[in-house]
Amino acid sequence: MNAKMIDMTKEQAPYLGTIEMEDGKILRIVRQDTFVETTGQDDVLNVQGHYVIPGMIDTHSHILMGSVQTPFPSCDSYDSIEALVVSIRARLSEITLTPNGWLKIVGYTAEQFTEQRHPTRHDLDQISRDIPILLEHASFHAVVLNTAGLERVGIGLTDDDPPQAFYTRDVSGALTGHICDFYSIPSAKRHSPQLAPESIASALAQGVASYLRAGVTELSELNVGGLYGKSEVDGVCHFLATPQKIRSRWTLQADTLNAYPAYRTTTHDDWALRFRQHSKGMATANGVKFFADGTMNLRTAALSSAYADGRQAPNPVLSSDEMYRQFVDFQQRGFHLITHAIGDVAIQRTLEAYIATARYRTANRVCRNRIEHLHTVTPTQLQLMSKYDVGGSFFTNQISVTGDLLRTTLLGAERAQQVFPTATARACGVCYTLHADAPVTPIAPLHLMHHACERRTSAGVQLGASECLSRYDALAAVTCDAAALNGVPGDQGVIRPGALADFVCLSDNPLDLDVSLLDIDVLQTIVAGKVVYTLQGDVL
């Protein structure tokens, strides 16, 4: 009651009203002319004139990656490889290894070290030659293994690169231990560091809090099995069997489904039923995830021309034939396809495979095939996405985080002006969302909106002023458009009779240009008609 509503059914000014709910859904909306007193009414939530919007929908994050990192030593405090090695070696006897005997260290970047390079197996061998060690890059798209770690996963020092990963070699041709897209290697999936499903479930329960504080009422984990394979899948099921405060969608990694014989013939309906039953209807399956290329910062994104610093861009990690084969297989099993593609070459190959395999899509599937990140998507590619109803999601936070690198060493000034063309995508009629790729950047939809509207680097340089979104379009991308991308338009992401009773109460109007989106507080988060977070009381 006494809510200034932004209902996202159409672009209009906020209006004062009351939302009546029943069984977790909106029953009716009653407009108010004035504020109403609610003293003594226990079944009424008086939001006292604050702004209420539909629950914000996360369509691409990694709660698994963000939640399960806390047990491991972090690289945050080290400014050199030498300091990292000395410190971890001195504390080795105090550090708990994974259940299958690995030492895992997380969160490094080459840029943080005075040596200005990636560590090697020789560096990690100074910590231990007997314990397998995995040092994980902050992007999750690269690792460094010591010699024992390479042996544990069955990688020889002179092995050829596998189809979906990139090995770094020394001048003699031997592996340095630095591997891009390591988690796509089947043997890595089965023999790399594992966690007990119970500990994964516990970590997920803790991780949900950050989503609720940010006003997210539904999260999407876009890489189930990406780090810990089958134990990760089992951990999700353990978590979903506990009381759920948030809705969730779980996208299975194709490499995980391919790595385990028991998963190779499963259908999308099998997983959807499994997740729904565990969660009592609060969770479902969300397609299958592929990787067409790597990352911009590691220079493994498949671009049509060289990087600005002169390094040559690699080819996509999946060949056209392999992409076609897997897309046919998974679509015949009822999965919709979600493909990571950053470079324009990877985007083009993915689009061509989507178009070529469209006849294998199951008739009852409601979700679009999608392309994720879309750093360098071209106007022609956006037109194809619209024509063939391919959805997408833009990682616009990267403009703030890595925009200055994009315009200098990665893409150069001219190409950097064309990244994440969100306004062009809207003009082309592409259904898309904005995502934080958490934990790569924090889960904070209001900050996503800010960066999509402002498009400024950390140094204050604006990239692609013509691609700035309006406040309404940015809010749509995390509410009603996100629901449409998930195949549930009208059921979520809007405030209307019959929709799910998921809302966020905000301190200020997110459509008011005089208010910074970065200064707006999430006062309350409501899921299925129940308050699950308040600013004063935190997660309930």
Side-chain angles (χ1 to χ4, degrees):
M1 184 174 283
N2 294 327
K4 293 178 181 176
M5 282 184 274
I6 303 172
D7 64 23
M8 298 310 293
T9 60
K10 61 182 179 180
E11 190 166 1
Q12 60 183 330
Y15 59 88
L16 189 67
T18 295
I19 304 169
E20 296 182 8
M21 298 170 284
E22 185 176 77
D23 296 329
K25 289 191 174 183
I26 299 172
L27 187 62
R28 65 178 62 88
I29 297 169
V30 180
R31 294 205 179 212
Q32 299 174 214
D33 294 325
T34 60
F35 287 96
V36 178
E37 293 296 328
T38 61
T39 305
Q41 299 181 49
D42 293 337
D43 60 345
V44 174
L45 175 63
N46 185 353
V47 299
Q48 301 177 339
H50 289 299
Y51 292 87
V52 173
I53 64 171
M56 291 185 281
I57 300 169
D58 157 54
T59 61
H60 182 140
S61 68
H62 304 285
I63 187 173
L64 281 159
M65 291 179 177
S67 300
V68 301
Q69 299 297 74
T70 50
F72 304 121
S74 171
C75 290
D76 285 349
S77 62
Y78 302 115
D79 60 6
S80 71
I81 296 170
E82 181 182 7
L84 168 68
V85 168
V86 170
S87 175
I88 299 296
R89 184 173 60 211
R91 296 190 294 123
L92 189 57
S93 61
E94 305 168 6
I95 298 172
T96 301
L97 304 182
T98 68
N100 60 336
W102 282 80
L103 168 61
K104 183 174 181 178
I105 311 165
V106 300
Y108 91 91
T109 66
E111 292 77 16
Q112 80 183 78
F113 297 135
T114 55
E115 295 90 343
Q116 290 294 291
R117 64 172 175 84
H118 296 278
T120 69
R121 62 184 173 91
H122 302 295
D123 296 315
L124 299 186
D125 284 347
Q126 295 179 51
I127 298 174
S128 176
R129 294 181 178 275
D130 302 317
I131 299 170
I133 300 174
L134 184 146
L135 171 62
E136 191 172 71
H137 192 269
S139 70
F140 301 94
H141 279 272
V143 303
V144 182
L145 302 180
N146 69 343
T147 305
L150 290 169
E151 292 172 355
R152 174 70 69 90
V153 297
I155 298 175
L157 296 180
T158 58
D159 283 1
D160 294 332
D161 288 15
Q164 297 184 49
F166 305 91
Y167 294 160
T168 302
R169 302 173 189 276
D170 61 24
V171 291
S172 71
L175 272 62
T176 66
H178 175 251
I179 302 174
C180 291
D181 296 309
F182 167 77
Y183 293 113
S184 296
I185 305 170
S187 63
K189 193 74 61 186
R190 295 188 294 269
H191 302 296
S192 59
Q194 300 292 304
L195 288 179
E198 294 80 6
S199 66
I200 292 173
S202 176
L204 286 172
Q206 296 295 318
V208 162
S210 62
Y211 287 75
L212 297 176
R213 292 184 188 112
V216 174
T217 56
E218 180 175 82
L219 67 86
S220 292
E221 165 56 64
L222 237 66
N223 200 28
V224 179
L227 294 184
Y228 304 106
K230 185 178 183 300
S231 63
E232 194 170 302
V233 177
D234 293 340
V236 169
C237 293
H238 278 265
F239 163 68
L240 293 178
T242 64
Q244 297 293 292
K245 296 179 180 179
I246 193 169
R247 302 186 197 277
S248 57
R249 292 173 179 268
W250 302 87
T251 303
L252 293 136
Q253 190 195 51
D255 293 321
T256 297
L257 295 180
N258 290 331
Y260 297 94
Y263 295 161
R264 288 176 189 158
T265 58
T266 54
T267 67
H268 188 269
D269 285 348
D270 293 335
W271 290 102
L273 180 62
R274 185 177 181 181
F275 293 150
R276 286 186 190 126
Q277 288 179 334
H278 279 297
S279 67
K280 298 182 179 179
M282 290 291 283
T284 189
N286 188 39
V288 63
K289 173 79 171 290
F290 291 89
F291 289 85
D293 62 355
T295 71
M296 193 71 74
N297 283 15
L298 293 171
R299 293 166 180 80
T300 52
L303 303 172
S304 55
S305 56
Y307 287 90
D309 61 7
R311 301 190 206 183
Q312 293 301 307
N315 291 322
V317 295
L318 284 175
S319 69
S320 297
D321 289 346
E322 181 62 18
M323 191 176 278
Y324 181 91
R325 184 190 69 78
Q326 292 207 49
F327 284 7
V328 168
D329 174 41
F330 279 102
Q331 289 183 106
Q332 287 180 324
R333 290 154 56 190
F335 290 89
H336 57 278
L337 311 175
I338 302 177
T339 305
H340 163 120
I342 287 176
D344 55 328
V345 174
I347 293 167
Q348 186 66 28
R349 181 167 293 181
T350 302
L351 270 173
E352 290 171 356
Y354 281 173
I355 294 166
T357 62
R359 64 185 181 274
Y360 296 100
R361 294 176 62 180
T362 52
N364 63 346
R365 206 187 65 223
V366 296
C367 291
R368 296 168 171 84
N369 290 340
R370 293 162 46 179
I371 302 177
E372 303 297 294
H373 299 315
L374 295 166
H375 288 54
T376 57
V377 66
T378 68
T380 300
Q381 290 169 341
L382 289 170
Q383 290 167 6
L384 280 175
M385 289 175 69
S386 178
K387 179 178 179 179
Y388 291 97
D389 199 24
V390 174
S393 190
F394 288 97
F395 188 11
T396 46
N397 277 6
Q398 284 284 36
I399 294 174
S400 172
V401 176
T402 63
D404 294 309
L405 284 174
L406 289 172
R407 66 188 180 87
T408 54
T409 61
L410 295 174
L411 294 177
E414 182 177 351
R415 281 191 293 175
Q417 292 292 328
Q418 301 163 22
V419 296
F420 306 116
T422 47
T424 300
R426 183 163 290 278
C428 288
V430 175
C431 180
Y432 71 84
T433 65
L434 308 173
H435 69 267
D437 204 23
V440 179
T441 66
I443 189 75
L446 293 170
H447 290 205
L448 272 178
M449 291 172 58
H450 169 81
H451 294 306
C453 294
E454 301 296 328
R455 296 179 64 92
R456 292 193 180 276
T457 72
S458 59
V461 178
Q462 191 170 53
L463 299 182
S466 64
E467 297 294 345
C468 291
L469 291 182
S470 70
R471 287 285 184 93
Y472 184 84
D473 287 346
L475 182 57
V478 297
T479 54
C480 55
D481 290 348
L485 188 70
N486 284 339
V488 288
D491 292 336
Q492 289 177 254
V494 291
I495 300 175
R496 70 166 188 83
L500 296 176
D502 299 345
F503 318 108
V504 182
C505 182
L506 301 175
S507 61
D508 298 278
N509 181 2
L511 303 182
D512 186 346
L513 296 180
D514 292 329
V515 175
S516 170
L517 290 164
L518 302 180
D519 293 335
I520 297 177
D521 289 325
V522 172
L523 302 179
Q524 293 172 317
T525 302
I526 300 164
V527 177
K530 298 178 180 179
V531 178
V532 292
Y533 165 78
T534 66
L535 184 61
Q536 290 78 18
D538 204 56
V539 176
L540 305 179

